[in-house]
Amino acid sequence: MDKLAPFHHSPPLLQNHKPKPIRTHSPPSLSVALTTTSSLETTPRPTHVPNLGSLNGFTADSNTLDSVKAMHAQMIKKGNKWNSDSMAKHLITSYLELGDCKSAAVVFFVGFARNYVMWNNFLEEFKSFGGDPSEVLEVFKELHCEGVVFDSRVISVVLKICASVMNLWLGLEVHASLIKRGFELDVYVRCALMNFYGRCWCVESANQVFHEPRNLDDLLWNEAILVNLKNERFVKALELFREMQFLTSKVNATTVLKILQACSKKGALNEGKQIHGYVLKLAMESNLSICNSLIIMYSRNGKIKLASRVFDSMKDHSLSSWNSIISSYSTLGYLNDAWNLFCKMERSGTKPDIITWNSILSGNAIVSSYKEVLIILRRMQAAGFRPNPRSITSVLQAVIEPGLLNFGKEIHAYVIRNGLDYDAYVGTSLLDMYVKNDCLTSSQAIFDNMKNKNIVAWNSLISGYSFKGHFDHAKRLLNRMKEEGIKPDLITWNSLVAGYSMRGHTKEALALIHDIKISGLTPNVVSWTALISGCSQNGNYSESIEAFVQMQEEGIKPNSATISSLLRTCGGLSLLQKGKEIHCLSIRKSFIEDLYVATALIDTYSKSGDLESAHKVFWSAEKTLASWNCMIMGFAINGCGREVIALLDGMQRAGILPDAITFTALLSGCKNSGLVEEGWKCFDMMSNDYGIKPTIEHYSCMADLLGRAGYLDEAWDFIQTMPIKPDASVWGAMLGSCRIHGNIEFAEIAAKELFKLEPYNSANYVLMLSLYAMSNRWEDVDRIKDLMDTRGIKPRQVWSWIQIDQRVHLFSAGGIPHQDEGEIYYELYQLVSELKKFGYLPDVNCVYQNIDEEEKVKMLLSHTEKLAITYGLIKTSSAPIRVIKNTRICSDCHTAAKLISLVRSREIFLRDGVRFHHFKAGKCSCNDYW
């Protein structure tokens, strides 16, 4: 016990006066007190103090404090009349009404019999008149120092007040005094001590009080479990629960309820099932609160059938029971079942309340079924329920994602008309709605008018500015936040990190991670994942990998989101081996079960040319719309058009409805394989069968498909009759097709449009240079070059790279020569000699400089993809060669790569700026269609 009372930390509060002769106040029996507790219920303060003069023969004017004190003194002199409980209670009320809270507390302490119910009523009345519970403790200390000895009931209540007002030292002094007196701690005092230590000090001290060598009452066991649950010591609470079972002690209903609530929060399904077994064993299933908690526990663990079974087994259903099961179905997305239960509830005679309606609203809002949300909202109002703040936040959540800004504005107007803008959650939801609809000005206005700005509101606006690249605004808000005394949390910092990294400002994002440490916080996995993900989405793949290395050096373990971002990086760089390593890590850490990780793996393998592995992951994972789309796009970029169509059939058989992304992938597969008829079929299927309105991406794919297939007139007509204005992607597809088929007439029209839409995109100018050079129109070549010089446009730097033994080797046109350049060119000259024996003739049309033939042939040898492939032949023996190129492969290199795969018996995977090429035995997977 001494360990629980470190008295040397504070001056003694209960021993600071020389004690006077002890006067013991022994209250009369509890039965008297129980009959009169109702008179202490809180009532509105009357305009005058009631006259007590008629009570028990006393006469006095009690309208003033002095008269009440005089009457009080007269009552004490009369001796036995003091034992009247009703008189004591009138005295307490009179003192409170006249503002003398201290005298009221003295009367309550020594005036009459007390029980725990009366204490609660007294404290409620005491606080309603402006009294501070700490004043009650001060009275207790004074009386104790005067020599008054209190019984265990008073001590228990005092300890509870200490815990309530967090008076750490008085509670310790009370405990010390009890030890000093050799006071025998009864079960109520021990429970109060455990509650005090659990709340004010530490749960270990509370557990020490529990484990003292005395008989353990059932009440103590229950208190010990509750104290550990309050302190989130879930494992310890369960250990105590199991020990109780072995000792045949009985857990009360309140404790069972709290343990079930903890199982809901902690996701402890197995433990929850064990508690359910205990409930059945002790026939507690008739307790509605316990059954409701069982329903919530099962639903939060995703076991809606078990939750439904508990509900169906209940003999009686309260309104709370109906709300629990309806909320469970709604939250988990079973919206039709939730609505059926709602109707069943009405038929059973139980009227829904605002909580019921909000549960239905919330479930539909989660899945963004905004149309259903509007219908439910109207039905709710027709039933006589006015939307409250919870209703409004659900409705706003439903209109955030679809971009229904106008409807969001209507909700905003409703909020203002009905005075709901006082609610911080409503204000934050409105702010978030405007942020996600790119209305930062409106968001700022709402924020400035919010009276109670919580940290969520600050974070929402800061993230809005950050993600839109308005970093000056975001930083100003951050500084203002600090000035107003609100400390930025990790969410604040992480939103800034994500915004900077997504915009390509990796150095600034890294600096922010350093600022997090300076602020006293520790960057977590979300911080680093925001950096990694932002770099990956922005195409800064190498910086994404560097950030992951730093994250590991900091000792931060990745989560599934980190893995998904890393896999996107591997896909962007076609790092097949690295992708396989991450795949192994995902299996070891059980991340493979995450749908995002599985989809990212499919994407990585597809973009690395390993369709077999991508297909294996696809068939072993749970198939969602996203995974189907990813697999279809994987086949599309690898030129497997027939497989793309087959996947669509499989998707339809599985009952998965395609979306706009699906059709983009389908049309991409058709254009990369020259499947014109199938492409038209898919394009028509969009609107005719699925009601999907074609977007500019779909029109671009169709123009590309027709143009590449040689149907340039049809492609031109298609562009002219489009219901939406062609953008750069459409005209770019037309220009690329003209380059393939040498059509200068249409090319010049397309180029003219592109030069207006993208005046600084060098790729468009280079295509025209190439086309004019092929036609020996050197004056036009010079004209395009002059135009580029005038506009300050430089051709995009061309590069290819290959990874060998974990090291990337870059070959750049006009860049720093490779260290093994001499060896590479020597091998390449030998290789070209071999290729010529198999009919290879350099295609000088791929050179648009006006130089002689011999010089053009030499220039073809310096193409970066040839150098990378040759270096792969030198440094590897039998493994497939994998090369990445940032621009479209030229026809000469394509022919050379086919012949190299035949002459050297090596597979070559080349990913260019458009698609994948898999060269094997003298053939390419694109069938010369690219």
Side-chain angles (χ1 to χ4, degrees), residues 257 285-293 295-296 310-327 341-342 344-346 348-353 355-356:
L257 198 63
E285 65 269 25
S286 59
N287 186 306
L288 288 176
S289 296
I290 288 178
C291 288
N292 294 342
S293 292
I295 291 169
I296 294 170
V310 172
F311 179 81
D312 293 338
S313 68
M314 296 169 64
K315 293 181 180 178
D316 299 310
H317 296 123
S318 65
L319 175 60
S320 180
S321 308
W322 283 104
N323 286 343
S324 295
I325 192 66
I326 290 172
S327 175
L341 280 166
F342 182 92
K344 185 177 178 182
M345 173 186 182
E346 290 184 313
S348 72
T350 304
K351 292 184 177 180
D353 64 358
I355 296 174
T356 324

Side-chain angles (χ1 to χ4, degrees), residues 791-806:
R791 294 183 176 180
I793 301 168
K794 293 183 179 180
R796 181 182 180 187
Q797 187 176 15
V798 179
W799 52 257
S800 298
W801 61 262
I802 183 171
Q803 183 180 1
I804 297 173
D805 295 332
Q806 302 299 317

Side-chain angles (χ1 to χ4, degrees), residues 132 254 298 396 525 641 728:
D132 185 346
T254 301
Y298 280 125
L396 286 171
V525 65

Side-chain angles (χ1 to χ4, degrees), residues 537-553:
Q537 292 177 40
N538 200 48
N540 297 326
Y541 301 120
S542 58
E543 293 175 352
S544 176
I545 293 175
E546 289 172 7
F548 179 64
V549 172
Q550 290 187 52
M551 172 183 168
Q552 290 178 305
E553 291 173 353

Side-chain angles (χ1 to χ4, degrees), residues 194-408:
M194 288 164 59
N195 176 62
F196 164 73
Y197 279 115
R199 179 159 186 177
C200 295
W201 289 95
C202 62
V203 70
E204 285 78 10
S205 297
N207 288 333
Q208 278 184 275
V209 174
F210 171 72
H211 287 299
E212 285 182 359
R214 293 187 180 91
N215 292 331
L216 295 176
D217 186 271
D218 288 353
L219 195 60
L220 279 171
W221 279 102
N222 284 281
E223 184 67 27
I225 292 173
L226 291 175
V227 167
N228 279 276
L229 286 174
K230 287 176 185 175
N231 285 273
E232 298 188 353
R233 298 295 180 88
F234 183 61
V235 174
K236 178 65 177 177
L238 284 177
E239 286 176 3
L240 291 170
F241 178 80
R242 293 190 185 99
E243 287 181 44
M244 284 189 73
Q245 313 313 305
F246 292 128
L247 297 174
T248 66
S249 296
K250 186 178 180 181
V251 181
N252 62 36
T254 301
T255 306
V256 171
L257 198 63
K258 295 295 182 182
I259 292 180
L260 284 171
Q261 290 171 357
C263 290
S264 301
K265 294 177 182 177
K266 299 292 181 181
L269 179 61
N270 291 333
E271 290 81 358
K273 286 182 176 180
Q274 293 173 28
I275 306 299
H276 190 180
Y278 181 83
V279 168
L280 296 174
K281 181 180 177 181
L282 293 186
M284 289 184 174
E285 65 269 25
S286 59
N287 186 306
L288 288 176
S289 296
I290 288 178
C291 288
N292 294 342
S293 292
L294 280 168
I295 291 169
I296 294 170
M297 184 274 294
Y298 280 125
S299 66
R300 287 186 179 172
N301 281 281
K303 302 296 180 183
I304 191 64
K305 289 184 179 179
L306 293 177
S308 181
R309 199 175 298 170
V310 172
F311 179 81
D312 293 338
S313 68
M314 296 169 64
K315 293 181 180 178
D316 299 310
H317 296 123
S318 65
L319 175 60
S320 180
S321 308
W322 283 104
N323 286 343
S324 295
I325 192 66
I326 290 172
S327 175
S328 298
Y329 272 100
S330 187
T331 302
L332 291 173
Y334 298 98
L335 302 178
N336 290 334
D337 296 297
W339 190 251
N340 290 336
L341 280 166
F342 182 92
C343 298
K344 185 177 178 182
M345 173 186 182
E346 290 184 313
R347 290 195 299 270
S348 72
T350 304
K351 292 184 177 180
D353 64 358
I354 189 69
I355 296 174
T356 324
W357 283 103
N358 283 343
S359 296
I360 298 289
L361 271 176
S362 177
N364 282 275
I366 290 171
V367 297
S368 298
S369 300
Y370 67 93
K371 292 181 180 178
E372 287 76 7
V373 167
L374 300 185
I375 294 170
I376 294 165
L377 185 64
R378 293 190 186 100
R379 291 189 63 171
M380 172 181 166
Q381 291 174 300
F385 290 95
R386 291 183 63 186
N388 64 8
R390 172 77 186 279
S391 318
I392 296 300
T393 53
S394 293
V395 174
L396 286 171
Q397 183 181 356
V399 302
I400 283 174
E401 297 305 327
L404 300 174
L405 181 59
N406 289 334
F407 183 73

Side-chain angles (χ1 to χ4, degrees), residues 624-659:
T624 62
L625 175 60
S627 61
W628 280 99
N629 287 346
C630 193
M631 193 69 252
I632 292 172
M633 185 58 80
F635 277 115
I637 63 174
N638 282 275
C640 304
R642 298 294 176 188
E643 288 80 356
V644 163
I645 301 301
L647 274 176
L648 173 63
D649 295 336
M651 184 179 184
Q652 292 171 324
R653 287 194 299 271
I656 304 292
L657 293 177
D659 63 359

